[in-house]
Each structure stands twice: as C-alpha cells, then as structure tokens.
Amino acid sequence: MNPGTHEVFNQSTPFSDVNLLAGNPALADALRFNHPQLDLTALHAVGAETGSAAMQRHARLANAFPPQLRSHDRFGQRIDQVEFHPSYHHLLRAALRHRLHATPWTAGTGAHIERAAAFMLFTECEPSVLCPVSMTYAVMPALRANAAIHSAWAPGLASPRYDGRFLPHDRKTGLMMGMGMTEKQGGSDVRANTTRADHDGDDAWGRRYRISGHKWFLSAPMCDAFLILAQAAGGLSCFFLPRLLPDGTVNAIAIQRLKHKLGNHANASSEVEFAAAAAWLVGDQGRGVAQILAMGAITRLDCALGSAGLMRHALSLALHHAGQRQAFGRRLCEQPLMRNVLADLALESEAATALALRLARAVDRSENGDDADGHEAAIRRLLTPLAKFWICKRGSHFAQEAMECLGGNGYVEEQGEGVMARIYREMPLNSIWEGAGNIMALDLLRALRHADAAGALAHELAPLCASGSHLAARVHAALHDVDGGCDEAQARTLARRLALLLQAALLRQHATDAVFDAFTRSRIDAANDVFGLLPAGVDLAAIIARAAPQTVD
Ligand SMILES: Cc1cc2nc3c(=O)[nH]c(=O)nc-3n(C[C@H](O)[C@H](O)[C@H](O)COP(=O)(O)OP(=O)(O)OC[C@H]3O[C@@H](n4cnc5c(N)ncnc54)[C@H](O)[C@@H]3O)c2cc1C
C-alpha cells in the first residue's frame, strides 16, 4: 500500500526462483531425442541455479556496472587491464563450475549435447558473460594444430576453476581464450587483414612471430590468450597470442578503448593494437582462415544455442506476466488473441531449441568418431550456417513481440531489473558476430555444394515426408531446388525454406501433435510474417500448457 495515494495491484510478480529446466518440457524432449541416455541431474542443478533470484541479481549487477578499462596507472604507466564488477566474476565462476567451456572435448559421447543444454539455461540468466566461455569452448579443435601449446594450455582451458587473476598461464588454476579477426577495414572479409606477422625465431612453442597492427573488435580482452589472424610471408595465418609471455612479462597488447555497445553490457569488447607482440604459429602458414574457422564454426553453434535460450526466457517472462495481469475483466492469458500470440511464440521457441540441439548432436557425433557414414559431419556443415542464420535472425523479432506482451513494463529497464529489455538489446548480437546473416546464407550455399549434402538433407527430412503427402511434396520441391543450385541473391530464401522444413521434421519427432500441426500450418503451409496469426483450429491451449505448465492454465 502506498499511503495516501493508491494501492499497487494488478502488477505481475518477478519470475524468480524457478528451475529453468523443470518448466521447459520442449528442452527436455529435445534432449531425450538427441541423447536418450542422458542423466538430467546435473542439468537440473544448472536450471535451479540459473533461475535463482541470487543469480538474477548477479546478472543485473554485472550489466548495471559494466567493465571499465584501466589503460594506465596513476603514474602514467600502461597497464591495459579491465576491471569487472564482482558479480561478473561470480557468474563466470558458476559457468565454469557447470563446465560450459572446454570440458566436452575430452568427456566422450554426449558431452557436447549436455553442455549445449547447460549453455542455453545459463544464457537465460546472463548471456554476455558467456562470450569468453564460448570462445574457450570453441578454441580447442583449432589449438590442436600446435601440439606444444595445446598440451601446455588444454588442461587449464578445461579446468572447471575460474581464475580471473592477471598471471602467467602456469600459475593459474583455470585459463580462458578469445579471438581476434575483425579489423577496421573488414570483418566478414578477413582477407583484408593488414596486421603483420614477422618471423622472430623458433622455441618450445614452435615458430614465434612479432605481430604488428590492430583489431577493431577483440572481446573479453582479459582472456589469457587469443587466436588471431595476421599476414605472414606465406599469407594470412593463425597465431596464438598470450596476454602474458611464458617468462611473466606482459605482451605488447595495448587496449585502446572499450566499445560502447547496444547491449551485451557485462562483457568487455575492446579495440586493441599490437606493437610487435609475441605470438606463435598455429597450423600452416597461409591457412589462417580455415584454421581460425575451426574455432568460428563452434562459436556459431553457441550463437544458435544462445538465441534459442534467450527466446525461451523471453517466452517464460511473457507467459508469466500474461498469467497474472488482468485486462478487460480477465487475465491476459485468457484473452483469445493474446493466446494466439503466446502460442505462436511458444512454437518459435520450441523450433529454435530443436534445431540448435540437433546441431549440437551433429557436433557431438562428428567429434567423437560416432559417425561411420559421415552423415553427422554433413549435417553439421549444413546446420551450422542454417541454425545460426535462422534462429538468430528470428531472435529480435521474437524479443519485440514477447516484450509487447508485457506492455509498457516490457520496455522499462529499471536499473537492469527489466530483463525483457536486456534480452531485446542482446538479441541482434548473435546474428551479427561470428558471421552476419548474409555470410551464413552464403556459407550454406558452399555447404550445399558438398557431394553428400543433398543425401544428408533428404535423410533428415524423411520423417516430415512420412507425415503427409503435401509435406512430402514441399520437401521434394526443396530438394529439387537444392539440386538445381541457387544464385547468391536467393541464398536467404533457400536458408529460410530449409530451416523451416528441418525444424518441422524435428518437431514431428519430439514435440507434441499440437505443436507440429500448428508449426506446419503457420510456417510451411503459410508464411506468417508477424506473430499471432495462427489459423483457426490450432490447439492454442495445448501449446500454451506445454510451454508454461506451472504458471499459465
Ligand atoms: C559486440 C561485438 C563483439 C565482437 N567481438 C569480436 C571478437 O571478439 N573478435 C572478432 O574478431 N570480432 C568480433 N566482433 C566482430 C564481428 O564478428 C564482425 O562485426 C562481423 O563479423 C561483421 O564484420 P564487419 O563488422 O566488418 O562487417 P562487414 O564485414 O562490413 O559486413 C557488413 C554487412 O555486409 C554483409 N556482407 C559482407 N560480405 C557480403 C557479401 N559477400 N554478400 C552479401 N553481404 C555481405 C554482412 O553480412 C553484413 O551484414 C564483434 C562484434 C560485436 C558487435
């Protein structure tokens, strides 16, 4: 009661202290489909912790008090360090404790799938601290190309003990890595990189170089090392560049400033210059793009997972609010048109989860040698650009509609307490970094040129063909068009079409009939362009109940 003026009522409560996995049958079913033997105990622990009010508070604080660059000390000496709020460190400590980073590479079949689900759950709590976690996860395959560095660093990169101290690698309990490709004159077209690498001798870590130049984006600059691209005598090459050298001296990396970003506030993204910084060759000279893309391909998986996680959280917030807020005499979740919007968002969220986890399975199987006929490798090549393109592209549109379900409250941040606004600001990022939408669509065209692509797609889409002749006709038409080739200007159209068919095929296999029916009617039979256009006859009640059984009837 506000004495003397008014009583506050008809406002929804915070969505707090919930187990994010327990309330998400779409994720649980996708996990059962992709990894039937998985014991969900550890993931339930992640779901409980990431849905807790305590972690939500850390997420708020890490964003409300963003990182600060300390370029110089008070005596004028360069120190090039970034200071973070204690909540940032708390979140990172939790992310590593839950093994969201480099542990799956040595953990055997299924570990990448379990980690993918954990990554999605953590994203619901706070996505931006996961930038260095994701890069640390992704760097392992690329790092293998320098055996000496891999053997010295891999144990630290896989350690579940976060260590935020600025110390040489052999004095830390856990290590993290980032990546530097993008320069001012080109990010997508990294062949335009001008940063130079001059050979400087050989040592225990292999061929050592001096790196001179800049990077226009280098996120998480407090990481212990980076994979970067630079021009060597033999062409654009990939290098391992540590912040501190093996003898403990600070490498010549000057952090010029931190980016002032739309969202992603808890994460520091910097501009850096290298003044003859020491770095070691990873892989062959002139093969830098392929080498660093071994890392980029994995971070693209995380972009798809991250956007699917953000969608799920935005949906939960919308359902939670609509289950409590009254308008025109009944709760919003009882208003027929709002039910159409909520159900449509639920479909999109479940389809994103399905596609992202299918990609995680393809990564898992192809990495663990559990792929005798090469099908999983082919699907991985196709789904990496497809899932990154489509899920991330849908993310911003999704966040806007979910925000609208909260009305004006959705748009208000209130010092970081307005989680929906934070999600909305975060959403476009996964679509831009690690290859923006067009680059992904063009990458799909490259993947489709592989001899095994059409066969892999046909195999993956077979369950959809089995569920009705008109769907079979859609699949055959798409496969026919894939066969005929596609010109660049139509690459997005093809990517959208294939992504929707693949999502439908997955929903057929592990979602409910109500979800599958509504998805195909709204996305395959029709091409709805805003949410809330589900046709008459769709089982809205069943779809909403599945998405939020705890909060909405
Ligand atoms: C918050 C944040 C953090 C980042 N962190 C890092 C980091 O840690 N390390 C790092 O290396 N980079 C990082 N990046 C950079 C990011 O990866 C690039 O911004 C991205 O790859 C796009 O490159 P660009 O900005 O140079 O845009 P451009 O390459 O100029 O692209 C602009 C647009 O043109 C399109 N385009 C490009 N080529 C074609 C084509 N052939 N046909 C059709 N369309 C095309 C692209 O899809 C895009 O839409 C970060 C970016 C952000 C926003």
Side-chain angles (χ1 to χ4, degrees):
M1 173 85 78
N2 288 358
T5 57
H6 67 286
E7 183 188 349
V8 177
F9 68 101
N10 196 25
Q11 289 278 11
S12 59
T13 55
F15 182 66
S16 262
D17 284 332
V18 285
N19 185 319
L20 296 175
L21 178 59
N24 189 350
L27 176 58
D29 287 346
L31 280 168
R32 230 184 319 278
F33 172 73
N34 286 295
H35 189 359
Q37 304 80 22
L38 180 64
D39 175 356
L40 293 181
T41 310
L43 283 176
H44 273 287
V46 180
E49 185 169 352
T50 51
S52 69
M55 284 291 272
Q56 289 173 346
R57 183 170 175 275
H58 285 300
R60 180 178 77 76
L61 291 171
N63 282 278
F65 299 96
Q68 304 290 325
L69 173 62
R70 295 198 61 214
S71 58
H72 297 78
D73 69 11
R74 66 196 170 102
F75 306 107
Q77 310 277 3
R78 280 208 83 107
I79 51 173
D80 296 294
Q81 296 198 30
V82 181
E83 282 184 340
F84 296 86
H85 189 274
S87 286
Y88 171 89
H89 297 293
H90 183 92
L91 290 163
L92 270 186
R93 207 170 292 120
L96 267 58
R97 177 164 38 77
H98 288 302
R99 298 169 190 274
L100 266 60
H101 58 312
T103 49
W105 300 106
T106 50
T109 303
H112 291 280
I113 304 170
E114 182 173 13
R115 180 261 170 202
F119 189 86
M120 288 172 75
L121 292 169
F122 207 105
T123 299
E124 288 199 49
C125 174
E126 212 302 302
S128 46
V129 302
L130 293 181
C131 169
V133 174
S134 182
M135 293 192 288
T136 303
Y137 169 54
V139 77
M140 289 295 240
L143 210 53
R144 288 183 195 133
N146 182 318
I149 293 176
H150 184 264
S151 102
W153 281 67
L157 292 168
S159 162
R161 292 177 61 196
Y162 171 65
D163 188 340
R165 294 174 300 166
F166 193 50
L167 291 174
H169 77 283
D170 51 0
R171 292 175 54 197
K172 292 186 68 166
T173 58
L175 301 168
M176 305 197 79
M177 280 190 67
M179 72 199 308
M181 294 184 285
T182 310
E183 297 186 4
K184 295 185 183 77
Q185 69 282 359
S188 308
D189 187 4
V190 289
R191 293 167 308 176
N193 273 196
T194 59
T195 293
R196 224 180 50 244
D198 298 308
H199 188 219
D200 182 42
D202 294 356
D203 61 28
W205 283 357
R207 289 173 71 76
R208 192 181 61 249
Y209 288 71
R210 292 284 160 192
I211 308 291
S212 304
H214 79 283
K215 295 292 165 189
W216 184 229
F217 282 92
L218 186 107
S219 285
M222 290 306 287
C223 280
D224 300 286
F226 305 88
L227 281 193
I228 63 136
L229 288 179
Q231 303 283 0
L236 193 60
S237 308
C238 177
F239 296 92
F240 173 86
L241 189 148
R243 287 278 331 254
L244 289 156
L245 298 174
D247 67 4
T249 54
V250 180
N251 208 356
I253 307 170
I255 304 177
Q256 301 297 92
R257 59 177 174 168
L258 298 186
K259 300 283 195 189
H260 188 73
K261 297 175 287 185
L262 170 67
N264 195 250
H265 288 162
N267 181 35
S269 297
S270 66
E271 298 163 15
V272 296
E273 291 188 4
F274 309 126
W280 285 260
L281 185 66
V282 177
D284 296 330
Q285 263 200 57
R287 298 271 308 146
V289 177
Q291 189 61 44
I292 211 161
L293 277 184
M295 180 175 184
I298 306 286
T299 50
R300 287 170 185 173
L301 161 67
D302 278 5
C303 290
L305 293 168
S307 291
L310 288 176
M311 278 188 200
R312 172 62 216 185
H313 204 69
L315 172 67
S316 298
L317 294 173
L319 287 164
H320 179 75
H321 179 81
Q324 298 186 351
R325 176 82 163 179
Q326 304 244 354
F328 301 97
R330 50 184 170 176
R331 291 182 299 156
L332 288 174
C333 68
E334 294 164 334
Q335 298 286 2
L337 188 50
M338 180 58 95
R339 291 174 76 74
N340 195 319
V341 172
L342 292 170
D344 208 4
L345 290 171
L347 296 179
E348 192 72 31
S349 169
E350 178 151 6
T353 298
L355 192 60
L357 271 197
R358 179 63 187 91
L359 172 56
R361 167 151 66 102
V363 170
D364 192 80
R365 296 292 185 264
S366 51
E367 285 296 332
N368 285 303
D370 193 7
D371 184 26
D373 60 1
H375 175 70
E376 294 297 323
I379 284 298
R380 176 180 176 178
R381 256 195 312 276
L382 292 164
L383 283 199
T384 298
L386 258 179
K388 160 100 162 72
F389 170 73
W390 186 243
I391 298 172
C392 301
K393 197 53 76 187
R394 296 290 286 166
S396 293
H397 187 33
F398 187 103
Q400 187 277 325
E401 196 67 59
M403 175 185 279
E404 198 163 314
C405 293
L406 272 64
N409 283 0
Y411 196 70
V412 172
E413 294 239 20
E414 204 56 62
Q415 298 182 6
E417 280 182 9
V419 177
M420 194 68 98
R422 197 160 78 219
I423 290 174
Y424 182 75
R425 285 189 286 95
E426 187 76 15
M427 271 295 194
L429 180 53
N430 279 334
S431 193
I432 293 174
W433 69 7
E434 301 300 348
N438 286 354
I439 299 302
M440 290 302 95
L442 294 173
D443 208 36
L444 171 68
L445 295 192
R446 269 188 293 279
L448 285 171
R449 287 199 276 274
H450 273 261
D452 52 5
L457 272 178
H459 182 270
E460 210 63 16
L461 292 171
L464 192 55
C465 295
S467 60
S469 56
H470 81 287
L471 291 171
R474 299 258 179 197
V475 169
H476 292 137
L479 291 175
H480 178 267
D481 289 354
V482 162
D483 226 21
C486 170
D487 82 71
E488 282 192 14
Q490 297 306 313
R492 279 185 181 225
T493 307
L494 184 65
R496 174 186 183 279
R497 194 171 168 201
L498 291 179
L500 288 171
L501 289 170
L502 285 160
Q503 287 181 321
L506 289 165
L507 294 179
R508 171 71 294 172
Q509 295 169 88
H510 59 77
T512 58
D513 288 348
V515 167
F516 173 71
D517 172 66
F519 187 86
T520 50
R521 289 176 66 187
S522 57
R523 271 80 165 166
I524 308 288
D525 300 345
N528 294 351
D529 43 12
V530 293
F531 288 103
L533 304 184
L534 294 178
V538 159
D539 191 346
L540 302 178
I543 298 167
I544 292 173
R546 175 172 171 78
Q550 294 155 340
T551 52
V552 179
D553 300 333

